[in-house]
Amino acid sequence: MSERDQMTLDMVKNLAVLLSEDTPGISIEQALATVINSDTYQRLLDDRTRLYYQSPRYVYSFLVNELKTGKI
């Protein structure tokens, strides 16, 4: 596994944990599904964005905005 892949997986885990902590009643499995089905996740996978180098809270702000507005 490459360093980039490991950083991406860690970011997904951190985003799911943050989402489950901030959303009452959501399980970690539901949070993971939400992250993986988001446009934020697609951008995280896009090597050109380099989002996996950013802090989890910074990337989480994109996810929260996407969930509230339906777009990034």
Side-chain angles (χ1 to χ4, degrees), residues 48-61:
R48 295 173 295 172
T49 66
R50 306 241 186 236
L51 278 178
Y52 48 85
Y53 280 117
Q54 302 301 321
S55 75
R57 286 266 176 207
Y58 177 72
V59 179
Y60 182 66
S61 70

Side-chain angles (χ1 to χ4, degrees), residues 20 29 61 64:
S20 68
E29 292 84 6
S61 70
V64 169

Side-chain angles (χ1 to χ4, degrees), residues 8-20:
T8 301
L9 288 175
D10 287 342
M11 181 65 75
V12 169
K13 177 193 69 150
N14 289 330
L15 292 174
V17 168
L18 288 169
L19 184 60
S20 68

Side-chain angles (χ1 to χ4, degrees), residues 15-66:
L15 292 174
V17 168
L18 288 169
L19 184 60
S20 68
E21 288 174 352
D22 288 350
T23 309
I26 192 172
S27 69
I28 193 70
E29 292 84 6
Q30 291 170 319
L32 275 169
T34 300
V35 171
I36 290 171
N37 291 309
S38 69
D39 286 336
T40 302
Y41 177 71
Q42 293 304 314
R43 290 178 189 245
L44 182 61
L45 294 179
D46 185 350
D47 199 35
R48 295 173 295 172
T49 66
R50 306 241 186 236
L51 278 178
Y52 48 85
Y53 280 117
Q54 302 301 321
S55 75
R57 286 266 176 207
Y58 177 72
V59 179
Y60 182 66
S61 70
F62 289 112
L63 180 63
V64 169
N65 188 50
E66 177 185 349

